[in-house]
Each structure stands twice: as C-alpha cells, then as structure tokens.
C-alpha cells in the first residue's frame, strides 16, 4: 500500500493511500477506524478526495464511530471483559 497524503482534520486522522487500483481513505478516531475504497477509475485525481470529505459525510462518520464504541462496550459487558 502506498501512502498518498494526509488530509488535515481537527477531529480525525485521515490518510489517503493507493493500492491495487484503488484509493483507500482511512479515517481514525481513538481505537476505531473506518476505511473507504474508491476505484481509481471512478476518481482520477486523488486531490478530489478531500472535497468528498465534506461536513455532512464526516458527521455521519462521527456518528458511526459513536455507534462502534457503543457496540464494543456492549459486547465487552455481555462477555464480562470490559
């Protein structure tokens, strides 16, 4: 996997990578990560990726991270691990 660029953001660590004819957007928050794969055929310029990471999209990402944390805590509690 080849690193392309970091996308600055106050809340998340966002990295853009290229691998196997795809751009891969990795968004991290604490122990959680969301990954989005975009075909190079669909997006010819990696500089377009930050444009796609608009406020509405990142609000959904934040909500998904919250849900991931809720799910993780719940399974830990159910199984007496956390």
């Amino acid at each position: 996997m080849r690193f392309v660029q970091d996308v600055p953001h106050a809340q998340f660590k966002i990295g853009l990578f290229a691998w196997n004819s795809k751009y891969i957007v990795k968004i991290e928050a604490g122990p959680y990560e969301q990954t989005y794969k975009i075909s190079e055929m669909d997006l010819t310029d990696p500089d377009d990726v930050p444009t796609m990471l608009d406020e509405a999209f990142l609000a959904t990402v934040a909500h998904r991270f919250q849900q991931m944390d809720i799910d993780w805590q719940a399974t830990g509690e159910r199984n007496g691990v956390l």
Side-chain angles (χ1 to χ4, degrees), residues 23-35:
Y23 291 115
I24 299 170
V25 179
K26 293 176 97 177
I27 305 171
E28 299 177 47
Y32 306 112
E33 176 180 286
Q34 295 178 44
T35 303

